[in-house]
Amino acid sequence: MLFQVGGQGSRPTFFEMSAAQQLPASLRAALTYSFGVLALRRPMFHRVLDYEDEFFAFLMLILETHSLRTTDASFSESLYGLRRRAVKIKVKKDDARLMSGDGINHSGLEKRQKVLSVVFLVVLPYFKSKLHSIYNKEREARLQASLWGHDDERFDDIEYIGGEDSLASSGNLEAEASIRTRLTKRIQKIVGTCYPWIHASSEGVSFAYQLLYLLDATGFYSLGLHALGIQVCRATGQELMDTSSRISKIRSRERERLRGPPWLKAVQGALLSCMYTALDYAQTGLIAAVFFFKMMEWWYQSAEERMSAPTVYPPPPPPPPPKVAEEGIPLPPDRTICPLCSQKRANPSVVTVSGFVFCYACIFKYVSQYKRCPITLMPATGDHIRRLFHDV
């Protein structure tokens, strides 16, 4: 078999890894939708939506740090029963048969690997999201500039009152504002130029790693895991059973580290208990929110598709071209020539009853005199003449 499709072995399937990778995006969509609904009745939640990237990064920082500390896995990986293991490759001819995974030994994560995992899971996606938003703003600004031109602020009509001191202070403020504006625009231009290449390179490397993982050519699902020397494995039944005891041991050790008078220790212990309870409920609530959001999205999307899907009909055939009358003026071989004056058209105008184009002066004079199209001899008036602006 080229790739693993079943649920056997310690190596997760491609679909498990893909689902774990896509879970944070689904969680963010669920939270954004929930806060958007709440903001309709409680305007204070608009502040959360204004700082959506920062809020989600802070939330994921708490969840990822807690999950890596207690389960040696990210928040989404722990939900799928996966664990992160440090990879140590040892090549020995004598012990090659005894070592599982072609000389690859797995061990627990070090503190440095946990910290760097948080960086790859939270910090880098946050900066990528900010760069993406800056790129979108720069692209919209370029599109608006191409359509409407650059909108330069002018202060010629502003009257300054207060003498030379006020003029000097306002001039300094304008100079500082102009420097900041130029610096911001320069950064936005650099991001707008470099971000597509960075994004394309990142997506290409991710696709290459995922393809190699699918073909069982590598044990690393992403470049970040490869750089950290971490592989994701399935947790054994014993590890899943020991997770709760491990969490309780960690929390008991933290309570033992508390110092101070007995009443202060009691207060600190109560606060720690409340924090741990809040984390547990937050994880459970987030999981429920993701699944509820995906279910509602599927339900409403399928219902809307069934109810409002338009019936697609084939486009009607084009109308037949108008026939040239036998007594009418013949058409010139060159389409840019006016049939009336046999010269290149000036101020091209169309007769709507037939669709043929003439010079405006020629066709207006002819229609005013003969009340018909000169080629098809169909009845026409001056109201049937329309100016064409394709040459403007």
Side-chain angles (χ1 to χ4, degrees):
M1 294 179 63
L2 292 177
F3 51 88
Q4 185 179 3
V5 296
Q8 300 177 357
S10 61
R11 184 176 184 270
T13 62
F14 172 81
F15 303 101
E16 289 176 308
M17 296 297 296
S18 178
Q21 186 184 27
Q22 295 175 3
L23 184 61
S26 301
L27 175 61
R28 179 168 184 169
L31 291 177
T32 303
Y33 176 79
S34 301
F35 279 106
V37 173
L38 292 175
L40 296 177
R41 296 187 176 183
R42 297 292 185 270
M44 62 179 180
F45 287 104
H46 282 292
R47 295 292 184 90
V48 178
L49 296 177
D50 294 338
Y51 298 95
E52 176 185 350
D53 295 332
E54 289 75 10
F55 172 77
F56 185 74
F58 178 72
L59 177 63
M60 293 305 298
L61 178 64
I62 297 175
L63 293 178
E64 299 292 2
T65 303
H66 177 70
S67 181
L68 285 169
R69 186 181 181 186
T70 55
T71 63
D72 281 348
S74 66
F75 172 70
S76 56
E77 291 166 355
S78 62
L79 298 180
Y80 288 92
L82 306 178
R83 297 293 182 267
R84 294 193 170 199
R85 297 289 180 262
V87 178
K88 295 181 181 180
I89 301 177
K90 297 181 181 180
V91 179
K92 293 183 180 180
K93 296 182 179 180
D94 299 336
D95 301 336
R97 296 181 179 178
L98 300 177
M99 296 173 65
S100 61
D102 297 332
I104 298 178
N105 289 335
H106 297 93
S107 60
L109 296 181
E110 300 177 356
K111 184 177 180 179
R112 178 184 62 85
Q113 291 176 325
K114 292 181 180 180
V115 174
L116 293 178
S117 295
V118 173
V119 172
F120 276 91
L121 291 170
V122 180
V123 180
L124 292 184
Y126 169 74
F127 283 111
K128 184 178 179 181
S129 178
K130 300 302 290 185
L131 289 176
H132 186 71
S133 62
I134 294 174
Y135 170 73
N136 287 335
K137 291 180 181 179
E138 176 64 18
R139 185 177 59 179
E140 292 176 0
R142 289 182 180 180
L143 180 60
Q144 185 178 2
S146 64
L147 294 176
W148 307 102
H150 295 279
D151 296 332
D152 296 331
E153 296 181 358
R154 297 180 179 179
F155 301 95
D156 298 338
D157 299 334
I158 299 178
E159 297 181 358
Y160 294 97
I161 301 175
E164 297 179 355
D165 295 338
S166 61
L167 291 174
S169 60
S170 61
N172 294 332
L173 293 175
E174 289 181 4
E176 293 179 359
S178 62
I179 293 174
R180 293 178 181 176
T181 304
R182 288 197 299 267
L183 182 60
T184 303
K185 289 183 177 180
R186 185 172 301 178
I187 293 175
Q188 290 179 351
K189 288 183 179 180
I190 293 174
V191 172
T193 304
C194 299
Y195 178 76
W197 297 97
I198 297 174
H199 180 69
S201 302
S202 175
E203 294 297 324
V205 171
S206 299
F207 174 77
Y209 267 92
Q210 293 175 10
L211 181 62
L212 292 175
Y213 187 87
L214 179 64
L215 299 176
D216 204 6
T218 181
F220 302 98
Y221 185 78
S222 64
L223 177 62
L225 294 175
H226 198 172
L228 297 177
I230 295 175
Q231 285 187 356
V232 180
C233 306
R234 284 199 184 95
T236 62
Q238 187 64 33
E239 288 177 340
L240 294 176
M241 294 174 62
D242 294 342
T243 299
S244 58
S245 61
R246 180 181 178 183
I247 294 175
S248 61
K249 289 181 181 179
I250 292 175
R251 294 178 178 179
S252 63
R253 284 199 301 265
E254 291 183 352
R255 289 190 180 93
E256 292 175 356
R257 293 177 183 176
L258 298 177
R259 297 179 179 180
W263 64 270
L264 183 58
K265 290 183 179 180
V267 173
Q268 293 175 350
L271 292 177
L272 284 176
S273 300
C274 294
M275 183 182 66
Y276 293 143
T277 305
L279 284 175
D280 295 336
Y281 279 111
Q283 289 182 349
T284 306
L286 290 175
I287 297 169
V290 170
F291 285 105
F292 178 75
F293 172 76
K294 300 302 288 185
M295 184 186 68
M296 297 300 293
E297 183 182 19
W298 168 80
W299 178 266
Y300 283 110
Q301 184 176 3
S302 59
E304 289 178 359
E305 290 178 355
R306 290 193 304 267
M307 296 176 61
S308 62
T311 304
V312 180
Y313 296 101
K323 295 181 180 180
V324 180
E326 295 180 358
E327 298 178 0
I329 299 175
L331 291 173
D334 189 359
R335 295 185 177 182
T336 61
I337 300 299
C338 175
L340 292 175
C341 64
S342 300
Q343 301 293 330
K344 189 173 182 180
R345 288 193 299 260
N347 296 327
S349 302
V350 62
V351 181
T352 58
V353 296
S354 62
F356 291 105
V357 183
F358 310 87
C359 297
Y360 178 77
C362 298
I363 189 61
F364 183 79
K365 182 178 179 181
Y366 185 91
V367 169
S368 299
Q369 184 177 357
Y370 296 101
K371 306 295 183 181
R372 66 184 183 182
C373 174
I375 295 177
T376 62
L377 303 183
M378 297 175 64
T381 61
D383 295 336
H384 295 140
I385 301 175
R386 294 291 183 271
R387 174 75 168 90
L388 298 180
F389 297 96
H390 67 278
D391 59 338
V392 176

